[in-house]
Amino acid sequence: MKKLLLLTVSIMGLTASAQQVMTPEMLWKLGRVSALGITKDGKSIVYKVSTPNMEENKSASKFYSIPVTGGTATEVTDYAALLNDKYLSAEGKWALTSKEVKVEKVLGKDLYPELDKSNAQVYNGLDYRHWDTWNDGTHNHVGYTKPGDKDKTSFVDIMPNEPYDSPQKPHGGEEDYTWSPDGKSIVYVCKKKAGTEYATSTNTDLYEYNIETKKTVNLTPGNPGYDTAPAYSPQGDLTWLQMKRDGYEADKNDIIVRFKGIDMNLTANWDGTVDSFTWSPDGKKIYFLAATDGTKQLFEVNFPGMTKIAITVRQLTDGVFDINGITGFSGDKIIVERADMNHANEIFSYDLKKKKWAQLSKVNEAAYAGIALSKTEKRYVTTTDGKKMLVWVVLPPNFDAKKKYPTLLYCQGGPQSALTQFYSFRWNFQVMAAQGYIVVAPNRRGMPGHGVEWNEQISKDWGGQVMDDYLSAIDDVAKEPYVDKARLGAVGASYGGYSVFYLAGIHNNRFKTFISHCGVFNLQSMYGTTEEVFFTNWDSGGPYWEKNNAAAQKTYNQFNPINNVDKWNTPILVIQGGIDFRVPIGQGQEAFQAAQLRGIKSRFMLFPEENHWVLKPQNALVWQREFFKWLKETL
C-alpha cells in the first residue's frame, strides 16, 4: 500500500510538472547557446552558454565541447586552443584584430586641454551619436598584432588617422575583416565617409591593405550600396554580400564571387535575400541562410567556376524552425544553430545526403521537459488586394477550442525584418501564449521570405497596405469561436511600435488595449533626431520640408500617427529606452503626453540606460512583468 501511495504521488507530481507553463522568470534562467566552431581534429564542436544571473544583473558564460555525433558535453577552459585560429596569418606571424583608436578632437578637454573638467562636445556634422553612444572621437580600427598579445601593445593600425570604423558600428564584428589566403593582405569592410555624409549613406566598401607596401585599395568602388562579409573560397576567390542601392539598408542581399577578375552574382535570379553564407570544403557550393515562408532555412548554390554548370539555387531544409547560424562541416554533415517559437537556440547537425537532423547540444532540455508547450499554426489570409499572406497563430498551452481567449496582434519591427520561427527573450510568443493569450503574428507587407516585391512594398507606404494587412489578419483569426472579440490587443516595437500608434487612430474600436515599445510616433521629429538618416530618407521618401516631394508629403501627413491622435480612445502602454538614438526618447514622450492630455488611460515605462532593446536581466524582467500587468489591467 505504501509503495502504491508513493507511485501515485510520483505520477501526480509528474502530471503537475508537465502542466507548468513558461513564465518570464523561467525564460530568464535559460542558457543561451552560440556555436564557436569545430575543433582542429574535426571531431567536436565548441560552444558557449551564457546564463543570466538575476542577482548580479549580468550574464555568466561557460564553454563546452561535444562530439559531432552527439553524446555528453564537456566543459572546457582554454577553448581557443581547440579551434583553428582564422585570424592568424598564413605563416603564423601576425594575428588579425581590431581596437578603438582616438582620432578626432570632439570633447571640450580635447580642444582646450587646460579645461580638463569640461564635458562639452563639439560637432561639425551628423553622426554625432549612433545607436546608443555619442561620438567621442574614437573609432574602431582594424590592425594586427603579434600572436598572443592580449593587451594589443604591438598593434599595427592599418587605418592610421582615419575617422572611419571597421568593424562597423554599432553591430559589426569579426565578420568585417579577413586575411587573404597568402597572409600578405587584409580585406576589411568600411564606410569611408564622415559626418553628415556618413549618416545619409549605406555605401560600405571592401578595402584591401597590403602588409608589405602599406597601401590600401578599394575593391568595390563601383557598388553604391552595402558590401559586407568578406570571405575567401577554398580556391582563394574573394566572396562577399552585396546590396546595390545606396541608402536602402534592406535591399536584396546577394552573394558575389570575384572569379578571374569578374564579379559573379550567384543569387541575382533568385527571388530572395541572403542572411549569411559559407563555402563548402571542396569549393563547389556555397551554403546560405535565408527567410522563406515564415521560417529561416538552409539553401545551396553551385559555383560555376568549379562545377561548369548553370547557377542553381536549391532549398535544402524545410520545417517549422529557424536555422540561425552555420558553424561548419563534418563529413556529410553541416553543423548549425536551430530554434523555434517554443525552443531557444541549440546546436544541430544536418546530414546533407541522408536529409536527417540530429540535436547535439541539449542545454535547455531539462527546463523544457516540464513545460506544456504552445501550439503554432500556419494560416494563410487573403489581403485586401487579393494576395495570400502567411500568419503565425500561437495558441496557449493546453488549448481548449471550446473556451474563449484574449488575443494579441503582434506587429513586427524592422520594418523589413523577417517574422519567422524566432525565439526572443523579450518578444517571446511562448511566454505570451503561456499567460493565456492567443498571438496573431502576420507576415505583412515589408517582410523578407515572400519575394523581393513583397519585401519592398512597405517603403514609402508605412501607413498604407501594411495596415490593411494587419487588420485582415486579426479580423480573419477573430472569426474563430475561441477568440474573444471583445478582448483584442495590439503590441509591437520599433516599426511595430509605430504600427501600434498608427492603429490606435484607425482601428475603429477593434482593440481594447495597446503596447508600443520604442515606437515612431512623430515622423517629423523622428527625421530631425534619428541618427541613420539614410533610413528615414529611403522609407519616408525624403525630408518633411520638401513640399513638392509627393512621396514625402504623403508620409508626413497621411501616414504620421500624430495626425490621428484626436481619434485615440484606447488605453496604451508606452515603453522607451533612454539611450535609444535610433528611435529617440522624444518619440515615446510625445505619445505618452498626448495620451495623458487626452485623458486616456496610459502608462510610461522608461529604461534610462537601455537602448532600442532591453538587455540587462533585471530590467528585462521588469519589462515582462509590466507588460503582462498592463494586459491584465486592460484586457
Side-chain angles (χ1 to χ4, degrees):
M1 186 69 182
K2 187 175 181 182
K3 285 184 179 179
L4 180 61
L5 180 61
L6 286 172
L7 180 62
T8 304
V9 171
S10 178
I11 291 172
M12 287 174 62
L14 285 171
T15 304
S17 175
Q19 295 308 305
Q20 285 185 335
V21 296
M22 180 63 79
T23 65
E25 290 74 15
M26 294 165 68
L27 179 71
W28 277 84
K29 290 180 181 178
L30 296 179
R32 306 184 186 193
V33 179
S34 52
L36 301 178
I38 295 177
T39 54
K40 295 173 185 177
D41 60 12
K43 295 180 179 179
S44 299
I45 301 151
V46 178
Y47 61 96
K48 178 174 75 171
V49 179
S50 298
T51 307
N53 185 314
M54 199 57 64
E55 239 178 70
E56 296 183 8
N57 202 27
K58 60 183 181 181
S59 293
S61 297
K62 291 185 178 181
F63 301 87
Y64 299 87
S65 69
I66 191 169
V68 294
T69 53
T72 304
T74 304
E75 187 174 353
V76 297
T77 49
D78 189 10
Y79 68 91
L82 300 173
L83 304 171
N84 288 311
D85 188 352
K86 63 179 180 177
Y87 298 105
L88 198 64
S89 60
E91 78 291 350
K93 186 179 179 181
W94 300 109
L96 186 56
T97 187
S98 66
K99 68 182 291 188
E100 277 204 330
V101 179
K102 181 78 171 182
V103 177
E104 300 172 287
K105 292 183 177 180
V106 166
L107 307 179
K109 59 185 177 183
D110 297 334
L111 299 165
Y112 308 102
E114 73 278 12
L115 305 177
D116 61 349
K117 292 183 174 60
S118 167
N119 62 357
Q121 299 163 227
V122 181
Y123 302 101
N124 295 304
L126 299 183
D127 189 36
Y128 55 88
R129 63 180 189 174
H130 199 185
W131 190 248
D132 58 7
T133 58
W134 290 86
N135 181 355
D136 64 357
T138 60
H139 291 272
N140 291 338
H141 277 191
V142 174
Y144 53 94
T145 65
K146 293 178 181 178
D149 181 5
K150 294 183 179 179
D151 295 328
K152 302 182 183 180
T153 55
S154 60
F155 183 78
V156 177
D157 188 351
I158 69 172
M159 305 166 60
N161 303 314
E162 294 188 8
Y164 315 122
D165 288 287
S166 184
Q168 291 293 288
K169 290 182 178 179
H171 305 306
E174 294 176 338
E175 73 282 355
D176 278 356
Y177 49 80
T178 187
W179 285 109
S180 63
D182 60 10
K184 293 181 179 179
S185 61
I186 297 166
V187 175
Y188 64 95
V189 177
C190 191
K191 181 163 63 174
K192 296 205 173 183
K193 299 177 183 293
T196 301
E197 191 180 14
Y198 178 93
T200 56
S201 174
T202 59
N203 187 14
T204 59
D205 282 305
L206 303 186
Y207 291 87
E208 183 177 46
Y209 174 86
N210 187 292
I211 289 181
E212 295 174 355
T213 66
K214 311 296 183 188
K215 291 185 178 179
T216 300
V217 177
N218 187 344
L219 299 177
T220 57
N223 184 56
Y226 278 131
D227 293 289
T228 60
Y232 283 91
S233 73
Q235 288 75 34
D237 300 307
L238 180 63
T239 314
W240 68 97
L241 294 177
Q242 184 179 89
M243 295 185 186
K244 291 181 179 178
R245 289 169 281 185
D246 191 7
Y248 186 20
E249 67 165 7
D251 203 353
K252 174 175 163 58
N253 216 13
D254 283 317
I255 299 173
I256 311 296
V257 181
R258 183 160 290 175
F259 181 66
K260 296 182 178 179
I262 297 174
D263 291 352
M264 303 174 63
N265 187 334
L266 300 189
T267 50
N269 296 319
W270 171 70
D271 191 17
T273 187
V274 177
D275 276 3
S276 60
F277 71 92
T278 191
W279 278 93
S280 64
D282 61 9
K284 293 182 179 180
K285 297 176 181 177
I286 290 178
Y287 293 92
F288 67 91
L289 303 180
T292 178
D293 200 31
T295 63
K296 277 175 64 176
Q297 300 296 337
L298 178 67
F299 293 76
E300 71 172 19
V301 58
N302 64 293
F303 176 49
M306 287 288 291
T307 61
K308 308 299 181 185
I309 60 176
I311 297 171
T312 305
V313 174
R314 292 176 55 224
Q315 182 176 333
L316 300 180
T317 60
D318 188 29
V320 186
F321 52 76
D322 279 3
I323 303 177
N324 294 312
I326 301 174
T327 306
F329 301 87
S330 177
D332 294 330
K333 296 175 181 177
I334 186 168
I335 310 301
V336 302
E337 297 172 28
R338 207 183 92 173
D340 59 57
M341 288 180 184
N342 273 319
H343 301 91
N345 258 359
E346 294 282 6
I347 298 169
F348 285 73
S349 70
Y350 180 70
D351 193 307
L352 295 164
K353 287 189 175 180
K354 296 179 180 178
K355 312 297 181 187
K356 289 186 177 179
W357 285 101
Q359 183 174 343
L360 303 181
S361 72
K362 298 178 181 179
V363 172
N364 296 309
E365 186 176 53
Y368 289 126
I371 295 174
L373 301 180
S374 56
K375 183 182 178 184
T376 304
E377 293 185 347
K378 211 171 195 179
R379 189 183 187 105
Y380 292 92
V381 172
T382 302
T383 62
T384 56
D385 59 346
K387 302 291 177 64
K388 185 175 73 171
M389 175 175 62
L390 182 148
V391 179
W392 287 115
V393 180
V394 187
L395 302 173
N398 308 309
F399 174 74
D400 183 350
K402 295 178 182 178
K403 295 181 179 179
K404 285 189 178 292
Y405 295 85
T407 300
L408 302 175
L409 173 68
Y410 169 75
C411 303
Q412 174 80 322
Q416 287 159 295
S417 297
L419 202 171
T420 55
Q421 280 287 309
F422 67 87
Y423 195 87
S424 169
F425 286 88
R426 187 167 67 260
W427 294 95
N428 187 283
F429 296 160
Q430 182 183 35
V431 173
M432 293 181 197
Q435 311 315 303
Y437 299 98
I438 294 173
V439 181
V440 178
N443 273 232
R444 45 81 179 154
R445 231 54 62 104
M447 288 187 180
H450 310 280
V452 172
E453 181 183 352
W454 182 274
N455 189 38
E456 293 198 358
Q457 280 185 307
I458 198 169
S459 296
K460 304 171 185 62
D461 193 42
W462 275 27
Q465 180 61 48
V466 60
M467 293 298 154
D468 290 335
D469 290 350
Y470 282 136
L471 296 177
S472 294
I474 192 66
D475 288 349
D476 186 81
V477 178
K479 294 175 184 175
E480 299 292 349
Y482 49 77
V483 171
D484 188 342
K485 296 175 188 175
R487 299 172 69 199
L488 304 180
V491 302
S494 196
Y495 174 81
Y498 161 90
S499 301
V500 167
F501 289 144
Y502 197 83
L503 288 168
I506 67 163
H507 70 108
N508 202 18
N509 296 319
R510 282 178 176 83
F511 299 107
K512 194 176 179 183
T513 193
F514 293 109
I515 300 176
S516 174
H517 175 110
C518 290
V520 180
F521 172 72
N522 182 344
L523 291 169
Q524 288 191 2
S525 58
M526 171 71 175
Y527 190 88
T529 54
T530 192
E531 18 79 287
E532 290 188 347
V533 182
F534 59 77
F535 171 75
T536 45
N537 273 339
W538 188 275
D539 270 44
S540 297
Y544 57 85
W545 56 79
E546 291 183 350
K547 301 300 182 184
N548 295 322
N549 182 336
Q553 289 307 306
K554 185 176 184 179
T555 293
Y556 294 110
N557 292 295
Q558 184 175 335
F559 296 153
N560 200 343
I562 66 168
N563 293 330
N564 289 320
V565 171
D566 61 310
K567 301 180 182 68
W568 282 20
N569 61 0
T570 307
I572 187 164
L573 168 62
V574 179
I575 309 171
Q576 184 68 46
I579 53 172
D580 181 359
F581 301 154
R582 182 62 44 84
V583 180
I585 188 172
Q587 297 297 307
Q589 289 174 312
E590 287 187 51
F592 176 61
Q593 192 148 316
Q596 282 285 305
L597 293 175
R598 293 218 58 238
I600 295 169
K601 178 179 172 64
S602 48
R603 185 169 297 151
F604 186 58
M605 180 161 54
L606 175 67
F607 294 95
E609 297 180 351
E610 300 284 3
N611 54 34
H612 204 51
W613 303 324
V614 179
L615 301 176
K616 295 180 176 65
Q618 290 194 10
N619 282 344
L621 198 50
V622 169
W623 190 98
Q624 295 278 2
R625 288 177 177 175
E626 285 293 317
F627 182 93
F628 292 112
K629 177 182 174 183
W630 177 262
L631 291 178
K632 191 173 182 180
E633 286 179 16
T634 59
L635 196 62

